[in-house]
Amino acid sequence: PTITTSNSSTVKVSAAALTVAKAATAPAPLTAAQVLALTGDIPAGTVIKDTAANIQTNLKALGALATFTNISSITLSDTKAGTISVARADLTGDLSSAGNSDPNLAILKKITSAYTLNVTGLTASDALSLKTPLKTTTLTVSITDTVDNITSNLTALQTAAKAKSIASITIPAPASGTTKPILSITAAQLKASPELLATIKGDYDLTITGVAAADAVTVAGNADKVLKASGSLSTQSKISINDTSANLVKSIAALETAATAGRLTSITVSDGKALVLTEAQIKADGHFLATQFTNKTNIEAT
């Protein structure tokens, strides 16, 4: 390089003699624990790099810091996309709203890595209305609710379960001295909702309604599998039959077996016709005939 002085003389300087100021390097990322251990305010532009598990553990503590807004971004160090579970009570309001000032949500929104946010302690209706806070965030929900609320939202919950956005559904244990909750669904719902039913956990009874006589054994067996997978102390489901008189008579032996085992809750004769039975059938199928019929039914002996 050549430098020209004010008196027009020329001074040659070697490149080695020049000193070039280097740009200041960005501070190294800190873990969540290191940020929390800082004394005084968090420096502006602080970057956190830590595992999803550690961010979950320290989420509320980070959100409680007076200068948490100085955290510019959070990168998850997991080799695979991790999961952060947060109780709904700790994430208030609409998670997708830009105006939501919840500090825990503000910390989550600083995460630039792809991860799964599992929100726990939701009712069925709240779970169905919840939206993901960021496009990079995969939202899953863990529901705790009554059997009535679950069945009233069954179709929508099945859609969510099929999309793999439901992590679990828990039916609360009954209060002391009260009866066990009964989850009652139709045979069609049992067949159409395998993904949803696989997520339900808890100690409950299961009743399948609207069962065709010929399908009684198969439906009861499938319902038993649902109970077993749920961890329920009940091992045997119950069924409610709805079919024509002719079909009931055709399957009367299997229905008698189910009734003897205490599986039949009720029988509906869908066409309202009389059951035409032989004397031998009347003698052999007493448990079936003793089951509650939901409509007036005549027995014709042949």
Side-chain angles (χ1 to χ4, degrees), residues 182-194:
I182 301 173
L183 178 62
S184 180
I185 60 176
T186 67
Q189 288 172 328
L190 174 67
K191 185 177 181 179
S193 309

Side-chain angles (χ1 to χ4, degrees), residues 54-79:
N54 287 341
I55 297 300
Q56 175 180 314
T57 300
N58 295 288
L59 180 66
K60 287 196 283 185
L62 289 171
L65 293 172
T67 53
F68 77 83
T69 53
N70 286 346
I71 300 172
S72 63
S73 65
I74 299 174
T75 302
L76 300 180
S77 58
D78 307 85
T79 53

Side-chain angles (χ1 to χ4, degrees), residues 140-302:
T140 63
V141 294
S142 293
I143 298 169
T144 301
D145 212 341
T146 64
V147 292
D148 289 340
N149 288 339
I150 292 169
T151 51
S152 63
N153 291 283
L154 201 70
T155 301
L157 288 172
Q158 164 58 13
T159 300
K162 199 168 185 178
K164 298 182 179 180
S165 63
I166 295 182
S168 66
I169 296 178
T170 301
I171 296 175
S176 179
T178 62
T179 58
K180 188 181 296 188
I182 301 173
L183 178 62
S184 180
I185 60 176
T186 67
Q189 288 172 328
L190 174 67
K191 185 177 181 179
S193 309
E195 294 87 357
L196 174 64
L197 294 173
T199 68
I200 299 177
K201 307 299 177 184
D203 186 17
Y204 64 95
D205 286 329
L206 180 60
T207 297
I208 313 301
T209 63
V211 180
D215 296 335
V217 174
T218 300
V219 169
N222 290 338
D224 288 351
K225 292 177 183 177
V226 172
L227 276 177
K228 184 177 181 179
S230 73
S232 174
L233 298 179
S234 299
T235 58
Q236 180 175 279
S237 61
K238 295 185 178 183
I239 53 177
S240 176
I241 304 297
N242 188 323
D243 213 333
T244 65
S245 59
N247 288 340
L248 290 170
V249 174
K250 286 180 183 178
S251 300
I252 196 169
L255 294 175
E256 171 63 18
T257 300
T260 302
R263 282 184 176 269
L264 291 190
T265 60
S266 66
I267 299 169
T268 299
V269 183
S270 59
D271 58 1
K273 295 182 179 180
L275 297 177
V276 181
L277 304 173
T278 65
E279 181 182 358
Q281 286 174 321
I282 293 174
K283 290 180 178 179
D285 302 312
H287 292 94
F288 166 80
L289 294 172
T291 302
Q292 178 186 1
F293 282 75
T294 62
N295 51 356
K296 184 178 180 180
T297 304
N298 293 327
I299 306 295
E300 293 184 5
T302 63

